[in-house]
Amino acid sequence: MTDAPHDLTPDLCDANPDLQVLEPMLSSYGGRAAFGGEIVTVKCFEDNSLVKDLLAKPGRGKVLVVDGGGSLRRALLGDQIAAGAAGNGWAGVVIYGCVRDVCQLAETDLGVQALAAIPLKTERKGIGEANVPVTFGGVTFRPGEYLYADDNGVVVSPRALAAG
């Protein structure tokens, strides 16, 4: 599922009361308002090296969840990396941190949710971890589980769900 109905998450919550639901903290910045897919994770802090590396690979409808430690000082995703991710078939990116180039992100066929926007890019030092469980907003995101997001919020399931 890469493009979903705009009220996807309420319907999924109604049909699946056991879903994990992220606390309301993110805003939508991407051109795809509703999205979902298998989770891939990155844990990094003010260094988007792994974000760039993973999104440069084929995404096959997956969603990258980035635990940026909640930093509001550096953007972990910008227009160039997002355009590459869309071209590589990623469904979306959920960032516990910031983005930049918001006008271009809004025109990119990629779901993007993040805490805020800031114009500063990161320094790339190659620091971070990929494919590890990450926790923020009351939810633990595990690689291989499934994330669904829209303007209502973000939900996580241990299995793929059918859109209702």
Side-chain angles (χ1 to χ4, degrees), residues 39-43 54 64-65 129-134 141-143:
I39 295 171
V40 176
T41 63
V42 168
K43 185 171 187 159
L54 283 170
L64 183 64
V65 176
E129 298 176 87
N131 294 312
V132 296
V134 298
F141 301 87
R142 294 175 183 84

Side-chain angles (χ1 to χ4, degrees), residues 9 22-35 63-66 77 92-99 105 110-116 136 147-155:
T9 60
L22 185 69
E23 295 169 1
M25 60 174 39
L26 304 179
S27 297
S28 181
Y29 293 95
R32 191 181 286 187
F35 60 96
V63 176
L64 183 64
V65 176
V66 181
L77 181 74
V93 184
V94 172
I95 303 175
Y96 185 49
C98 290
V99 297
L105 291 180
L110 182 71
V112 177
Q113 291 205 10
L115 289 174
F136 57 88
L147 179 149
Y148 302 93
D150 61 17
D151 291 333
N152 295 288
V154 175
V155 301

